[in-house]
Amino acid sequence: MTPEAVAAEPELRRDPLSGRLVVVAPERSKRPGAFRRSPLEVTPEELESCPFCAGREERTPPETLRIPAGAEQWQVRVVPNLYPAFAGQEVVIHTPRHCHFLAELTAGETAAVAEAWQARAAAQDGYLHAFVNERPEAGASLPHTHSQLVWFDQPPPEVERELRPGYCRICDPPGGDQLLVAEQDGVALRAAWAGRVPYELLVAPLEHEGNPWESEHLAPALELAAEGLRRLHGLEGPCPMNLWLHASGHWHIEIVPRLTVLAGVELGAGYFVNPLPPETAADALRG
């Protein structure tokens, strides 16, 4: 169906990856732009207290990685998390300059982040979960853009749910070109067919790949994720967001903007209600 012809009646969709149930309820929707957030202002107090800016290296634990190695003017630093929820948790500082969002990074900066993720994946055993939280509403405790790395003994439950037999749900995604937002360098950005929230996005290599930590497509995937977020910011402002990488099956990046509130139906019954049809979201993001 075209974005203009999306039915007004709620539609029940099952996420092809996880089996999660989503109700697309366009009657509850407002047009793109209705969720718009105000820009964030950088205050002098924020700049003074930030431990991640260049010249503040002594304010973090000793780094486990610096890119370029040994360089005084670094691009990316990786340090242990001061307040880990899991053993061995690390923080990847995306840039020495003070900015808030992945969307503000250049292609060279996202490539350096990808290099850091891959280098740390090679340095430790176990399943690596890489993720980004932006703005306090999405769990960010510091505003300077960064990601986190957590190692598990085995793939966590949300990843295990996706490892189902049969055809690859990413190689043959539902929704076709209506959900395609952009392609570049062998990677596609799509609106999630059964997105839990407005503008949920998925980034994955066009060809089937199982290991992001050895893939040449990780850097362009992160850059395409940043591009999708830049477009989202243009529509809705700098919204809270969670991003993570699932590194099993056909590896992919999931982007979940936090524009709505999960309530009793979502948390108690397991049905996610999305008021913005993914086809409408994809059309808006394509511009």
Side-chain angles (χ1 to χ4, degrees):
M1 80 183 81
T2 65
E4 294 79 10
V6 172
E9 290 296 318
E11 177 188 356
L12 181 64
R13 297 185 180 185
R14 185 179 293 276
D15 177 53
L17 285 173
S18 66
R20 186 185 300 110
L21 292 170
V22 173
V23 177
V24 178
E27 278 296 295
R28 297 165 61 92
S29 173
K30 299 178 182 177
R31 296 189 63 79
F35 306 100
R36 191 166 186 85
R37 303 298 179 97
S38 300
L40 291 180
E41 293 186 4
V42 179
T43 66
E45 292 78 14
E46 178 184 311
L47 282 174
E48 176 58 31
S49 63
C50 180
F52 291 166
C53 289
R56 312 277 177 77
E57 291 80 11
E58 75 286 351
R59 298 189 190 181
T60 67
E63 62 197 36
T64 57
L65 179 71
R66 175 180 291 223
I67 295 174
E72 182 176 351
Q73 295 186 347
W74 51 273
Q75 291 179 279
V76 173
R77 295 177 68 234
V78 183
V79 300
N81 191 316
L82 275 175
Y83 308 103
F86 299 91
Q89 194 166 339
E90 295 184 338
V91 174
V92 182
I93 304 167
H94 293 164
T95 174
R97 62 190 178 90
H98 193 83
C99 58
H100 291 146
F101 302 109
L102 196 68
E104 297 178 82
L105 299 185
T106 67
E109 288 172 326
T110 55
V113 173
E115 180 183 348
W117 285 9
Q118 291 179 321
R120 295 308 296 151
Q124 296 196 43
D125 294 330
Y127 177 92
L128 174 57
H129 182 62
F131 64 97
V132 179
N133 301 331
E134 290 188 346
R135 298 192 66 153
E137 303 95 311
S141 57
L142 289 170
H144 189 126
T145 179
H146 64 282
S147 51
Q148 297 190 57
L149 307 176
V150 180
W151 281 264
F152 300 109
D153 292 335
Q154 58 190 16
E158 283 299 302
V159 174
E160 290 282 7
R161 289 178 66 182
E162 298 175 357
L163 298 177
R164 294 183 292 148
Y167 69 93
C168 175
R169 277 81 177 172
I170 293 179
C171 287
D172 187 20
D177 289 344
Q178 291 183 44
L179 297 182
L180 181 65
V181 175
E183 284 184 14
Q184 65 181 37
D185 300 325
V187 180
L189 169 68
R190 302 177 59 82
W193 184 77
R196 289 156 282 193
V197 296
Y199 301 104
E200 182 170 341
L201 300 172
L202 187 146
V203 184
L206 291 168
E207 300 295 328
H208 191 93
E209 284 190 4
N211 184 0
W213 311 129
E214 297 179 355
S215 173
E216 64 182 9
H217 292 117
L218 181 57
L222 273 180
E223 170 53 25
L224 196 54
E227 173 59 21
L229 290 166
R230 283 189 281 271
R231 298 185 187 191
L232 177 57
H233 288 194
L235 292 169
E236 306 290 353
C239 55
M241 177 279 296
N242 300 106
L243 172 154
W244 54 80
L245 189 152
H246 279 179
S248 292
H250 187 154
W251 71 264
H252 58 280
I253 293 170
E254 299 181 22
I255 302 171
V256 179
R258 302 292 286 273
L259 292 165
T260 56
V261 177
L262 300 183
V265 170
E266 292 87 356
L267 297 175
Y271 288 88
F272 290 83
V273 180
N274 185 349
L276 185 67
E279 293 83 359
T280 304
D283 187 59
L285 289 167
R286 283 192 296 267

Coordinates of all heavy atoms in Angstrom, one line a residue, residues 203-275:
V203 N 19.2 -1.1 9.9 CA 20.3 -0.9 8.9 C 21.0 -2.3 8.8 O 21.3 -2.9 9.8 CB 21.3 0.1 9.4 CG1 22.4 0.3 8.4 CG2 20.6 1.5 9.7
A204 N 21.2 -2.7 7.6 CA 21.8 -4.0 7.4 C 22.5 -4.1 6.1 O 22.1 -3.4 5.1 CB 20.8 -5.2 7.5
P205 N 23.6 -5.0 5.9 CA 24.2 -5.2 4.6 C 23.1 -5.8 3.6 O 22.3 -6.5 4.0 CB 25.3 -6.2 4.9 CG 25.5 -6.1 6.4 CD 24.2 -5.8 7.0
L206 N 23.3 -5.4 2.4 CA 22.4 -5.9 1.4 C 22.6 -7.4 1.2 O 21.6 -8.2 0.9 CB 22.6 -5.2 0.1 CG 22.1 -3.7 0.0 CD1 22.6 -3.0 -1.2 CD2 20.6 -3.6 0.1
E207 N 23.8 -7.9 1.3 CA 24.1 -9.3 1.1 C 24.2 -9.9 2.5 O 24.6 -9.3 3.5 CB 25.5 -9.5 0.4 CG 25.5 -9.0 -1.0 CD 24.5 -9.7 -1.9 OE1 24.3 -10.9 -1.7 OE2 24.0 -9.0 -2.8
H208 N 23.9 -11.2 2.6 CA 23.8 -11.9 3.9 C 25.2 -11.9 4.6 O 26.2 -12.4 3.9 CB 23.3 -13.3 3.8 CG 23.0 -14.0 5.1 ND1 21.7 -13.9 5.7 CD2 23.8 -14.6 5.9 CE1 21.8 -14.6 6.8 NE2 23.0 -15.0 7.0
E209 N 25.3 -11.4 5.8 CA 26.6 -11.4 6.5 C 26.3 -11.8 8.0 O 25.4 -11.3 8.6 CB 27.3 -10.1 6.5 CG 28.0 -9.7 5.2 CD 28.8 -8.5 5.3 OE1 29.0 -7.9 6.4 OE2 29.4 -8.0 4.3
G210 N 27.2 -12.6 8.6 CA 27.0 -13.1 9.9 C 27.9 -12.4 11.0 O 27.6 -12.5 12.2
N211 N 29.0 -11.8 10.5 CA 29.9 -11.3 11.5 C 30.3 -9.8 11.2 O 31.1 -9.5 10.4 CB 31.2 -12.1 11.5 CG 32.2 -11.7 12.5 OD1 32.0 -10.8 13.3 ND2 33.3 -12.4 12.6
P212 N 29.7 -8.9 12.0 CA 30.0 -7.5 11.8 C 31.4 -7.1 12.2 O 31.9 -6.1 11.7 CB 29.0 -6.8 12.7 CG 28.7 -7.7 13.8 CD 28.8 -9.1 13.2
W213 N 32.0 -7.9 13.1 CA 33.3 -7.5 13.6 C 34.4 -7.7 12.6 O 35.6 -7.3 12.9 CB 33.6 -8.2 14.9 CG 32.4 -8.1 15.9 CD1 31.7 -9.2 16.5 CD2 31.7 -6.9 16.3 NE1 30.7 -8.7 17.2 CE2 30.6 -7.3 17.1 CE3 31.8 -5.6 16.0 CZ2 29.7 -6.4 17.7 CZ3 30.9 -4.7 16.5 CH2 29.9 -5.1 17.4
E214 N 34.2 -8.4 11.5 CA 35.2 -8.5 10.5 C 34.7 -8.0 9.1 O 35.3 -8.2 8.1 CB 35.5 -10.0 10.3 CG 36.2 -10.6 11.6 CD 36.5 -12.1 11.4 OE1 36.2 -12.7 10.4 OE2 37.2 -12.6 12.3
S215 N 33.6 -7.2 9.2 CA 32.9 -6.8 8.0 C 33.4 -5.4 7.5 O 33.5 -4.5 8.4 CB 31.4 -6.8 8.2 OG 30.8 -6.2 7.1
E216 N 33.6 -5.2 6.3 CA 33.9 -3.9 5.7 C 32.6 -3.0 5.7 O 32.7 -1.8 5.4 CB 34.5 -4.0 4.3 CG 33.5 -4.6 3.3 CD 34.1 -4.8 1.9 OE1 35.3 -4.6 1.7 OE2 33.3 -5.1 1.0
H217 N 31.5 -3.6 5.9 CA 30.2 -2.8 5.9 C 29.8 -2.2 7.2 O 28.8 -1.5 7.2 CB 29.1 -3.8 5.4 CG 29.2 -4.2 4.0 ND1 29.4 -5.5 3.6 CD2 29.3 -3.5 2.8 CE1 29.5 -5.6 2.3 NE2 29.4 -4.3 1.8
L218 N 30.6 -2.5 8.3 CA 30.2 -1.9 9.5 C 30.3 -0.3 9.5 O 29.4 0.4 10.0 CB 31.0 -2.4 10.7 CG 30.6 -1.9 12.1 CD1 29.2 -2.1 12.4 CD2 31.5 -2.5 13.2
A219 N 31.4 0.2 9.0 CA 31.6 1.6 8.9 C 30.5 2.3 8.1 O 29.9 3.3 8.5 CB 33.0 2.0 8.4
P220 N 30.2 1.8 6.9 CA 29.1 2.4 6.1 C 27.7 2.2 6.8 O 26.8 3.1 6.7 CB 29.1 1.8 4.7 CG 30.0 0.6 4.9 CD 30.9 0.9 6.0
A221 N 27.6 1.2 7.5 CA 26.3 1.0 8.3 C 26.1 2.0 9.4 O 25.0 2.6 9.5 CB 26.2 -0.5 8.9
L222 N 27.2 2.3 10.1 CA 27.1 3.3 11.1 C 26.9 4.7 10.5 O 26.1 5.5 11.0 CB 28.4 3.3 12.0 CG 28.4 2.4 13.2 CD1 29.7 2.5 13.9 CD2 27.2 2.7 14.1
E223 N 27.5 5.0 9.4 CA 27.3 6.2 8.7 C 25.9 6.4 8.2 O 25.2 7.4 8.3 CB 28.3 6.4 7.6 CG 28.0 7.6 6.7 CD 27.8 9.0 7.4 OE1 28.4 9.1 8.5 OE2 27.2 9.8 6.8
L224 N 25.3 5.3 7.7 CA 23.9 5.3 7.2 C 23.0 5.4 8.4 O 21.9 6.1 8.2 CB 23.6 4.0 6.4 CG 22.4 4.1 5.5 CD1 22.4 5.3 4.6 CD2 22.2 2.8 4.7
A225 N 23.3 4.8 9.5 CA 22.5 5.0 10.7 C 22.5 6.5 11.1 O 21.5 7.1 11.4 CB 23.0 4.2 11.8
A226 N 23.7 7.1 11.0 CA 23.8 8.6 11.4 C 23.0 9.4 10.4 O 22.3 10.4 10.8 CB 25.3 9.0 11.4
E227 N 23.0 9.0 9.1 CA 22.3 9.8 8.1 C 20.7 9.6 8.4 O 20.0 10.6 8.3 CB 22.6 9.2 6.7 CG 21.7 9.8 5.6 CD 21.8 11.3 5.4 OE1 22.8 11.9 5.9 OE2 20.9 11.9 4.9
G228 N 20.3 8.4 8.7 CA 18.9 8.3 9.1 C 18.5 9.1 10.2 O 17.4 9.7 10.3
L229 N 19.4 9.2 11.2 CA 19.1 10.1 12.4 C 19.1 11.6 12.0 O 18.3 12.3 12.6 CB 20.1 9.8 13.5 CG 19.9 8.4 14.1 CD1 21.1 8.0 15.0 CD2 18.6 8.4 15.0
R230 N 20.0 11.9 11.1 CA 20.0 13.3 10.7 C 18.7 13.7 10.0 O 18.1 14.8 10.3 CB 21.2 13.6 9.7 CG 22.5 13.7 10.3 CD 23.6 14.2 9.4 NE 24.0 13.1 8.5 CZ 25.1 12.3 8.8 NH1 25.7 12.4 9.9 NH2 25.4 11.3 7.9
R231 N 18.1 12.8 9.2 CA 16.9 13.0 8.6 C 15.7 13.1 9.6 O 14.8 13.9 9.5 CB 16.6 12.0 7.5 CG 17.6 11.9 6.4 CD 17.2 10.9 5.3 NE 18.2 10.8 4.3 CZ 18.1 10.1 3.2 NH1 16.9 9.6 2.9 NH2 19.1 10.0 2.3
L232 N 15.8 12.2 10.6 CA 14.8 12.2 11.7 C 14.9 13.5 12.5 O 13.8 14.0 12.8 CB 15.0 11.0 12.6 CG 14.1 10.8 13.8 CD1 12.6 10.8 13.4 CD2 14.5 9.6 14.6
H233 N 16.1 13.9 12.8 CA 16.2 15.2 13.5 C 15.6 16.4 12.7 O 15.0 17.3 13.3 CB 17.6 15.5 13.8 CG 18.2 14.6 14.9 ND1 19.4 14.9 15.5 CD2 17.8 13.5 15.4 CE1 19.7 14.0 16.4 NE2 18.7 13.1 16.4
G234 N 15.7 16.3 11.4 CA 15.1 17.3 10.5 C 13.6 17.3 10.6 O 13.0 18.4 10.5
L235 N 13.0 16.2 10.8 CA 11.5 16.1 10.9 C 11.0 16.3 12.3 O 10.0 17.0 12.5 CB 11.1 14.7 10.5 CG 11.3 14.3 9.0 CD1 11.0 12.8 8.8 CD2 10.3 15.1 8.2
E236 N 11.7 15.7 13.3 CA 11.2 15.7 14.7 C 12.1 16.4 15.7 O 11.8 16.3 16.9 CB 10.9 14.3 15.1 CG 10.0 13.5 14.2 CD 8.6 13.9 14.2 OE1 8.2 14.8 15.0 OE2 7.8 13.4 13.3
G237 N 13.2 17.0 15.3 CA 14.1 17.5 16.2 C 15.0 16.4 16.9 O 14.9 15.2 16.5
P238 N 15.9 16.8 17.7 CA 16.9 15.9 18.3 C 16.3 15.0 19.4 O 16.3 15.3 20.6 CB 18.0 16.8 18.9 CG 17.3 18.0 19.2 CD 16.2 18.2 18.2
C239 N 15.6 13.9 19.0 CA 14.8 13.1 19.9 C 15.7 12.1 20.6 O 16.7 11.7 20.2 CB 13.7 12.4 19.1 SG 14.3 11.4 17.7
P240 N 15.2 11.6 21.8 CA 15.9 10.5 22.5 C 15.9 9.3 21.6 O 15.0 9.1 20.8 CB 15.0 10.3 23.7 CG 14.2 11.5 23.9 CD 14.0 12.1 22.5
M241 N 16.9 8.5 21.7 CA 17.1 7.3 20.8 C 17.9 6.3 21.5 O 18.9 6.6 22.2 CB 17.7 7.9 19.5 CG 18.0 6.8 18.5 SD 19.6 5.9 18.7 CE 20.8 7.2 18.6
N242 N 17.6 5.0 21.2 CA 18.5 3.9 21.5 C 18.8 3.2 20.2 O 18.0 3.0 19.3 CB 17.8 2.9 22.4 CG 17.4 3.5 23.8 OD1 16.2 3.7 24.0 ND2 18.4 3.7 24.6
L243 N 20.1 2.8 20.1 CA 20.6 2.1 18.9 C 21.4 0.9 19.4 O 22.1 1.0 20.4 CB 21.4 3.0 18.1 CG 22.2 2.4 16.9 CD1 22.5 3.6 15.8 CD2 23.6 1.9 17.3
W244 N 21.3 -0.2 18.8 CA 22.1 -1.4 19.1 C 22.4 -2.2 17.9 O 21.7 -2.1 16.9 CB 21.5 -2.2 20.2 CG 20.1 -2.7 19.9 CD1 19.7 -3.8 19.1 CD2 18.8 -2.1 20.4 NE1 18.3 -3.8 19.1 CE2 17.8 -2.9 19.8 CE3 18.6 -1.0 21.2 CZ2 16.4 -2.5 20.1 CZ3 17.2 -0.7 21.5 CH2 16.2 -1.5 20.9
L245 N 23.4 -3.1 18.0 CA 23.8 -4.0 16.9 C 23.6 -5.4 17.4 O 24.0 -5.8 18.5 CB 25.3 -3.8 16.6 CG 25.8 -4.5 15.3 CD1 26.9 -3.7 14.7 CD2 26.2 -5.9 15.6
H246 N 22.8 -6.2 16.6 CA 22.7 -7.6 16.8 C 23.6 -8.3 15.9 O 23.5 -8.2 14.6 CB 21.2 -8.0 16.5 CG 20.3 -7.7 17.7 ND1 19.0 -8.0 17.7 CD2 20.6 -7.2 18.9 CE1 18.4 -7.6 18.9 NE2 19.4 -7.1 19.6
A247 N 24.5 -9.1 16.5 CA 25.6 -9.7 15.8 C 25.5 -11.2 15.6 O 26.4 -12.0 15.7 CB 26.9 -9.4 16.5
S248 N 24.2 -11.6 15.3 CA 24.0 -13.0 15.0 C 23.0 -13.1 13.8 O 22.3 -12.2 13.5 CB 23.4 -13.8 16.2 OG 24.3 -13.9 17.2
G249 N 23.0 -14.3 13.1 CA 22.2 -14.4 11.9 C 22.7 -13.4 10.9 O 23.9 -13.4 10.6
H250 N 21.8 -12.6 10.3 CA 22.2 -11.5 9.4 C 22.4 -10.3 10.2 O 21.4 -9.7 10.7 CB 21.1 -11.4 8.3 CG 21.5 -10.4 7.2 ND1 20.9 -10.5 6.0 CD2 22.3 -9.3 7.2 CE1 21.4 -9.5 5.2 NE2 22.2 -8.8 5.9
W251 N 23.6 -9.9 10.5 CA 23.8 -8.8 11.5 C 23.1 -7.5 11.0 O 23.0 -7.3 9.8 CB 25.3 -8.6 11.8 CG 26.1 -7.9 10.7 CD1 26.9 -8.6 9.8 CD2 26.3 -6.5 10.4 NE1 27.5 -7.7 9.0 CE2 27.2 -6.4 9.3 CE3 25.8 -5.4 11.0 CZ2 27.6 -5.2 8.8 CZ3 26.2 -4.1 10.5 CH2 27.0 -4.0 9.4
H252 N 22.7 -6.7 12.0 CA 22.0 -5.5 11.7 C 22.0 -4.6 12.8 O 22.3 -5.0 14.0 CB 20.5 -5.8 11.3 CG 19.8 -6.6 12.4 ND1 19.9 -7.9 12.6 CD2 18.9 -6.1 13.3 CE1 19.1 -8.3 13.6 NE2 18.5 -7.2 14.1
I253 N 21.7 -3.3 12.6 CA 21.6 -2.3 13.6 C 20.1 -1.9 13.7 O 19.5 -1.7 12.7 CB 22.4 -1.0 13.2 CG1 23.9 -1.4 13.2 CG2 22.1 0.2 14.1 CD1 24.8 -0.3 12.6
E254 N 19.6 -1.8 14.9 CA 18.2 -1.4 15.1 C 18.3 0.0 15.8 O 19.1 0.2 16.7 CB 17.5 -2.4 16.0 CG 17.4 -3.7 15.4 CD 16.6 -4.7 16.3 OE1 15.8 -4.3 17.2 OE2 16.8 -6.0 16.1
I255 N 17.4 0.9 15.3 CA 17.3 2.3 15.9 C 15.9 2.5 16.4 O 15.0 2.3 15.6 CB 17.7 3.3 14.8 CG1 19.1 3.1 14.2 CG2 17.5 4.7 15.4 CD1 19.4 3.9 13.0
V256 N 15.8 2.8 17.7 CA 14.5 2.9 18.3 C 14.4 4.3 18.9 O 14.8 4.6 20.0 CB 14.2 1.9 19.4 CG1 12.9 2.0 20.0 CG2 14.3 0.5 18.8
P257 N 13.8 5.3 18.1 CA 13.5 6.6 18.7 C 12.5 6.5 19.9 O 11.6 5.7 19.8 CB 13.0 7.4 17.5 CG 13.4 6.6 16.3 CD 13.4 5.2 16.7
R258 N 12.7 7.4 20.9 CA 11.8 7.4 22.0 C 10.9 8.5 22.0 O 11.0 9.5 22.7 CB 12.7 7.4 23.3 CG 13.7 6.2 23.4 CD 13.0 4.9 23.5 NE 12.5 4.7 24.9 CZ 13.2 4.3 25.9 NH1 14.4 3.9 25.7 NH2 12.6 4.2 27.1
L259 N 10.0 8.5 21.0 CA 9.0 9.6 20.8 C 7.7 9.3 21.4 O 6.8 10.3 21.5 CB 8.8 9.8 19.3 CG 10.1 10.3 18.5 CD1 9.9 10.1 17.0 CD2 10.3 11.7 18.8
T260 N 7.4 8.1 21.9 CA 6.2 7.8 22.6 C 6.5 7.1 23.9 O 7.7 6.7 24.1 CB 5.3 6.9 21.7 OG1 6.0 5.7 21.3 CG2 4.8 7.6 20.4
V261 N 5.5 6.9 24.7 CA 5.7 6.3 26.0 C 5.2 4.9 26.0 O 4.0 4.7 25.6 CB 5.1 7.1 27.1 CG1 5.2 6.4 28.5 CG2 5.7 8.5 27.2
L262 N 6.0 3.9 26.4 CA 5.5 2.5 26.6 C 4.6 2.5 27.8 O 5.0 2.9 28.9 CB 6.6 1.5 26.7 CG 7.6 1.5 25.6 CD1 8.7 0.4 25.8 CD2 6.9 1.2 24.2
A263 N 3.4 2.0 27.6 CA 2.4 2.0 28.7 C 1.9 0.6 29.0 O 2.6 -0.4 28.7 CB 1.2 2.9 28.3
G264 N 0.7 0.4 29.6 CA 0.2 -0.8 30.1 C 0.0 -1.9 29.1 O 0.3 -3.1 29.3
V265 N -0.4 -1.5 27.8 CA -0.6 -2.5 26.8 C 0.8 -3.1 26.3 O 0.9 -4.3 26.2 CB -1.4 -1.9 25.6 CG1 -1.4 -2.9 24.4 CG2 -2.8 -1.6 26.0
E266 N 1.7 -2.2 26.1 CA 3.0 -2.6 25.7 C 3.8 -3.4 26.7 O 4.3 -4.5 26.5 CB 3.9 -1.4 25.3 CG 3.4 -0.7 24.1 CD 2.4 0.4 24.4 OE1 1.9 0.5 25.5 OE2 2.0 1.1 23.4
L267 N 3.8 -2.9 28.0 CA 4.6 -3.5 29.0 C 3.9 -4.7 29.7 O 4.5 -5.7 30.1 CB 5.0 -2.5 30.1 CG 5.8 -1.3 29.6 CD1 6.0 -0.3 30.7 CD2 7.2 -1.8 29.1
G268 N 2.6 -4.6 29.8 CA 1.8 -5.7 30.5 C 1.3 -6.8 29.6 O 1.2 -7.9 30.0
A269 N 0.9 -6.4 28.3 CA 0.3 -7.4 27.4 C 1.2 -7.8 26.3 O 1.0 -8.9 25.7 CB -1.0 -6.8 26.8
G270 N 2.3 -7.1 26.0 CA 3.2 -7.5 25.0 C 2.8 -7.0 23.6 O 3.4 -7.5 22.6
Y271 N 1.8 -6.2 23.5 CA 1.4 -5.6 22.2 C 1.9 -4.2 22.1 O 1.6 -3.3 22.9 CB -0.1 -5.6 22.0 CG -0.7 -7.0 21.8 CD1 -1.1 -7.7 22.9 CD2 -0.9 -7.4 20.5 CE1 -1.7 -9.0 22.7 CE2 -1.5 -8.7 20.3 CZ -1.9 -9.5 21.4 OH -2.4 -10.7 21.2
F272 N 2.8 -3.9 21.1 CA 3.3 -2.5 21.0 C 2.4 -1.8 20.0 O 1.9 -2.3 19.0 CB 4.7 -2.6 20.4 CG 5.7 -3.0 21.4 CD1 5.9 -4.4 21.5 CD2 6.5 -2.2 22.1 CE1 6.9 -4.9 22.5 CE2 7.4 -2.6 23.0 CZ 7.6 -4.0 23.2
V273 N 2.0 -0.6 20.4 CA 1.1 0.2 19.6 C 1.9 1.4 18.9 O 2.4 2.2 19.6 CB -0.1 0.8 20.4 CG1 -1.0 1.6 19.6 CG2 -0.8 -0.3 21.1
N274 N 1.9 1.3 17.6 CA 2.7 2.3 16.8 C 1.7 3.2 16.1 O 1.0 2.8 15.2 CB 3.6 1.7 15.8 CG 4.5 2.6 15.1 OD1 4.3 3.8 15.2 ND2 5.5 2.1 14.4
P275 N 1.6 4.5 16.5 CA 0.6 5.4 15.8 C 1.0 5.9 14.5 O 0.2 6.6 13.8 CB 0.5 6.5 16.8 CG 1.8 6.6 17.5 CD 2.3 5.2 17.6

